[in-house]
């Protein structure tokens, strides 16, 4: 009987050792298997149904929320007083994105054009597109700055032209017209006699060139040869560098197209991307870890140096001529119009900017931009890009429409483009990247625990069997007995 127990115990010890061995191997092999699957599914390839669909059609609902800075005292501004504004909005638009002309190349790159359309969402908005707001007239005040170095006689003619077409320094129009365009005799005149001066040949609106348009011809790496290159921009409109700025560093096209990033990110990783709308590459930095419905994430935000001027941050000298920190001069890629980009309400900008305009109140929660990334895959889970459009304006002699306007960087609108993964996509994401790895992790530790427990119990059984084999205890008189194996078996 003892011999049988010994054999069984040895069998269980062997099984326990195998379980521990299998669990230990799983500890090392499991993450490798998961990483290998991530690599296979992250490569831009039509065979990767889920990730390719997310990249091609962007099924995540995206929205653009627009806020206008309604001017409360236009007459006083013309007299040289400080501008007063009130924020109106949001006016929310659903953004539809689709990639077309997708062409794969032999050097492991793919080219495409991304088209975008906007649809007004009344239920998500704080007003309608028929709401009336007053903002500076870019056609008049912007053109005045552009013409200020021309001969005085020419400036007088420009002023006369504004009067002929009844264009004043401020516009009071419905939101829909300011957004997507309105008929203007001045615009028709300029397009006829000064072609190329304006960004569009039709109606003039702040977002007229955004709707039903594409962001240019992107060529990006598929990651097939090196997953560290996936989504990285190879060229944009055939260019590997820009010509808007004054230094090679500022003209570099860095990072991705801003929708996905390479996998296996760490807290030391950054999020570089090229934005055609901002005419430059930008880079976000790690702020903190987080979680979204059980999925781990890293939050990335804009560093304070993003829109700093060349004095405060030397590498940005190439984006100058600069004004205060917090303003990006985009005139070089906006037909030389005096337009500046900033964070909303001049968040993270030189505090002096707030002294020139009444009605602004910056805060990180409402005006800071961020991207929440799943670090293992480089897929954004939650995105909120917030930017403000500003017009530099001042009095220009000879152009009476500018009155006695004091020199000021005037906020006109700010907008937020946001979206987050939800629904079936989030469920699939959660199952593949959270549940399955967790199950594998529990399995490996479960095998190790089960194996160790089996070895321990089998060892105790084996030890007891050996005792019984060589002799037991006589519980009658307390003396050690010398029973034979036959007697033990007989018992």
């Amino acid at each position: 009987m003892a011999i049988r127990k010994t054999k069984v115990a040895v069998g269980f010890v062997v099984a326990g050792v195998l379980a521990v061995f299998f669990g230990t191997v799983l500890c090392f092999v499991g993450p490798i298997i998961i990483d290998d699957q991530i690599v296979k599914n992250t490569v831009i390839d039509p065979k990767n149904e889920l990730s390719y669909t997310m990249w091609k059609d962007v099924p995540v609902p995206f929205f653009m929320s627009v806020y206008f800075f309604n001017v409360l005292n236009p007459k006083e501004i013309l007299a040289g007083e400080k501008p007063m504004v009130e924020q109106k909005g949001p006016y929310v638009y659903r953004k539809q994105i689709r990639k077309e002309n997708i062409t794969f190349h032999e050097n492991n790159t793919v080219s495409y054009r991304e088209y975008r359309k906007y649809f007004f969402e009344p239920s998500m908005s704080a007003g309608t597109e028929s709401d009336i707001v007053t903002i500076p007239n870019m056609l008049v005040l912007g053109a005045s700055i552009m013409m200020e170095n021309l001969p005085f006689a020419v400036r007088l003619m420009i002023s006369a032209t504004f009067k002929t077409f009844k264009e004043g320094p401020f516009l009071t129009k419905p939101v829909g017209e300011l957004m997507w365009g309105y008929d203007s005799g001045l615009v028709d005149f300029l397009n006829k006699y000064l072609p190329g001066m304006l960004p569009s040949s039709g109606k003039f609106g702040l977002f007229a060139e955004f709707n039903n348009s594409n962001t240019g011809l992107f060529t990006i790496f598929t990651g097939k040869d090196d997953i560290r290159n996936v989504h990285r921009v190879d060229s944009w409109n055939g260019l590997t560098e820009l010509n808007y700025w004054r230094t090679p560093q500022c003209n570099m096209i860095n990072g991705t197209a801003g929708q996905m990033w390479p996998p296996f990110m760490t807290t030391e990783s950054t999020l570089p991307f090229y934005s055609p709308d901002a005419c430059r590459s930008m880079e976000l930095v790690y702020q903190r870890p987080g979680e979204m419905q059980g999925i781990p994430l890293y939050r990335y935000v804009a560093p304070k140096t993003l829109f700093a001027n060349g004095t405060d941050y030397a590498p940005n000298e190439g984006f100058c001529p600069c004004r205060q920190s917090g303003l990006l001069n985009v005139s070089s890629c906006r037909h030389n119009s005096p337009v500046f980009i900033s964070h909303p309400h001049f968040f993270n900008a030189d505090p002096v900017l707030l002294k020139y305009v009444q009605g602004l109140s910056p805060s990180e929660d409402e005006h800071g931009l961020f991207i929440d990334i799943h670090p293992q895959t480089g897929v954004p889970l939650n995105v909120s890009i917030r930017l403000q459009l500003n017009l530099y304006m001042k009095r220009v002699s000879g152009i009476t429409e500018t009155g006695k306007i004091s020199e000021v960087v005037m906020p006109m609108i700010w907008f937020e483009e946001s979206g987050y993964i939800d629904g079936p996509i989030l469920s699939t994401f959660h199952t593949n990247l959270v549940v399955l790895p967790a199950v594998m992790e529990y399995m490996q530790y479960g095998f190790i625990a089960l194996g160790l427990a089996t070895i321990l119990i089998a060892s105790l059984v084996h030890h007891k069997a050996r005792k019984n084999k060589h002799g037991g205890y006589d519980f009658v008189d307390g003396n050690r007995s010398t029973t034979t194996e036959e007697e033990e078996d007989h018992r």
Side-chain angles (χ1 to χ4, degrees):
M1 185 71 176
I3 293 174
R4 281 193 228 116
K5 286 183 179 179
T6 299
K7 288 180 179 179
V8 171
V10 170
F12 272 104
V13 168
V14 172
V17 169
L18 289 174
V20 170
F21 175 76
F22 184 70
T24 304
V25 169
L26 210 56
C27 284
F28 294 98
V29 175
I32 295 174
I33 293 173
I34 293 171
D35 288 353
D36 184 58
Q37 287 302 307
I38 288 174
V39 169
K40 286 180 179 177
N41 287 292
T42 304
V43 172
I44 301 174
D45 189 332
K47 295 176 183 176
N48 298 333
E49 189 174 343
L50 176 63
S51 59
Y52 184 73
T53 300
M54 286 184 66
W55 172 78
K56 179 179 178 291
D57 297 321
V58 191
V60 177
F62 259 87
F63 297 94
M64 180 174 71
S65 303
V66 181
Y67 299 81
F68 281 82
F69 290 104
N70 183 44
V71 179
L72 299 176
N73 61 338
K75 291 181 180 178
E76 289 78 4
I77 294 173
L78 286 173
E81 293 185 22
K82 183 187 295 186
M84 293 178 59
V85 298
E86 65 171 353
Q87 179 176 291
K88 295 192 73 171
Y91 300 94
V92 182
Y93 298 84
R94 179 169 48 86
K95 183 181 181 182
Q96 187 182 82
I97 306 170
R98 73 183 191 282
K99 290 183 175 67
E100 293 188 359
N101 308 113
I102 298 173
T103 307
F104 287 87
H105 307 290
E106 291 184 1
N107 64 342
N108 296 314
T109 62
V110 58
S111 299
Y112 65 91
R113 289 184 183 273
E114 183 171 273
Y115 290 82
R116 51 194 177 181
K117 278 186 178 181
Y118 295 90
F119 304 89
F120 186 62
E121 293 285 350
S123 63
M124 301 174 69
S125 303
T128 69
E129 285 192 305
S130 60
D131 288 356
I132 304 297
V133 296
T134 299
I135 63 170
N137 188 344
M138 288 183 65
L139 287 174
V140 172
L141 298 179
S144 299
I145 298 290
M146 295 164 65
M147 308 292 182
E148 68 173 328
N149 293 322
L150 294 179
F152 187 76
V154 175
R155 280 178 267 150
L156 288 175
M157 289 176 59
I158 292 169
S159 183
T161 303
F162 290 152
K163 290 177 177 63
T164 300
F165 292 102
K166 297 179 181 178
E167 292 281 356
F170 291 92
L171 286 172
T172 300
K173 287 186 176 294
V175 165
E177 290 187 18
L178 293 174
M179 284 287 296
W180 310 115
Y182 57 89
D183 292 315
S184 167
L186 178 60
V187 171
D188 295 336
F189 175 81
L190 292 174
N191 283 326
K192 183 176 181 180
Y193 294 103
L194 295 171
M197 180 180 174
L198 298 177
S200 60
S201 57
K203 295 183 177 183
F204 184 81
L206 297 173
F207 284 83
E209 59 180 312
F210 279 51
N211 208 8
N212 297 311
S213 65
N214 67 80
T215 54
L217 180 65
F218 272 95
T219 301
I220 65 173
F221 288 94
T222 63
K224 195 171 184 180
D225 57 334
D226 187 348
I227 200 61
R228 292 171 297 182
N229 284 333
V230 68
H231 298 292
R232 184 169 68 81
V233 178
D234 179 44
S235 67
W236 174 74
N237 283 342
L239 302 171
T240 55
E241 61 180 27
L242 306 170
N243 55 12
Y244 301 131
W245 313 109
R246 295 167 53 193
T247 62
Q249 182 178 352
C250 292
N251 276 320
M252 291 174 68
I253 297 177
N254 293 328
T256 72
Q259 290 179 345
M260 294 184 187
W261 282 265
F264 313 125
M265 304 180 74
T266 69
T267 55
E268 302 299 317
S269 303
T270 59
L271 292 190
F273 63 97
Y274 172 64
S275 169
D277 296 328
C279 309
R280 58 166 285 190
S281 297
M282 296 191 279
E283 190 169 44
L284 307 188
V285 296
Y286 172 83
Q287 185 191 52
R288 61 171 175 80
E291 191 177 278
M292 178 178 168
Q293 298 190 30
I295 301 174
L297 58 82
Y298 286 169
R299 171 157 290 190
Y300 287 82
V301 298
K304 288 188 176 181
T305 56
L306 182 63
F307 296 141
N309 61 22
T311 303
D312 290 344
Y313 186 62
N316 281 355
E317 182 64 36
F319 294 121
C320 292
C322 297
R323 299 191 65 78
Q324 293 89 348
S325 271
L327 298 171
L328 173 66
N329 186 346
V330 292
S331 60
S332 59
C333 68
R334 287 288 180 266
H335 302 270
N336 292 317
S337 58
V339 176
F340 290 80
I341 288 176
S342 70
H343 295 301
H345 287 247
F346 295 133
F347 170 68
N348 261 355
D350 189 326
V352 75
L353 292 168
L354 297 173
K355 295 181 180 179
Y356 297 130
V357 182
Q358 286 183 290
L360 304 180
S361 181
S363 74
E364 182 175 2
D365 287 344
E366 292 184 26
H367 306 127
L369 65 82
F370 68 85
I371 297 179
D372 290 338
I373 291 277
H374 181 252
Q376 264 193 303
T377 60
V379 174
L381 302 177
N382 190 16
V383 176
S384 181
I385 302 297
R386 299 159 174 161
L387 294 172
Q388 180 170 297
L389 190 67
N390 310 281
L391 181 69
Y392 171 58
M393 59 188 203
K394 66 176 183 178
R395 175 183 177 272
V396 176
S397 64
I399 303 179
T400 58
E401 283 73 17
T402 61
K404 297 179 181 178
I405 294 176
S406 299
E407 187 175 348
V408 64
V409 177
M410 184 73 175
M412 297 177 65
I413 62 167
W414 74 268
F415 59 94
E416 173 188 24
E417 290 207 311
S418 60
Y420 59 92
I421 290 180
D422 201 3
I425 295 175
L426 184 65
S427 299
T428 303
F429 208 85
H430 187 270
T431 300
N432 292 342
L433 297 169
V434 177
V435 176
L436 292 180
V439 168
M440 188 170 287
E441 186 176 1
Y442 290 139
M443 281 177 60
Q444 64 196 30
Y445 293 126
F447 274 115
I448 292 173
L450 180 63
L452 291 174
T454 303
I455 291 171
L456 180 62
I457 294 169
S459 298
L460 291 174
V461 171
H462 179 65
H463 179 68
K464 186 175 180 181
R466 283 183 57 125
K467 275 188 177 181
N468 291 337
K469 175 181 177 181
H470 295 294
Y473 283 93
D474 189 341
F475 290 100
V476 177
D477 58 8
N479 296 322
R480 186 171 181 82
S481 66
T482 56
T483 53
T484 63
E485 290 182 16
E486 289 78 5
E487 289 172 329
E488 186 66 35
D489 288 341
H490 179 69
R491 290 180 190 177

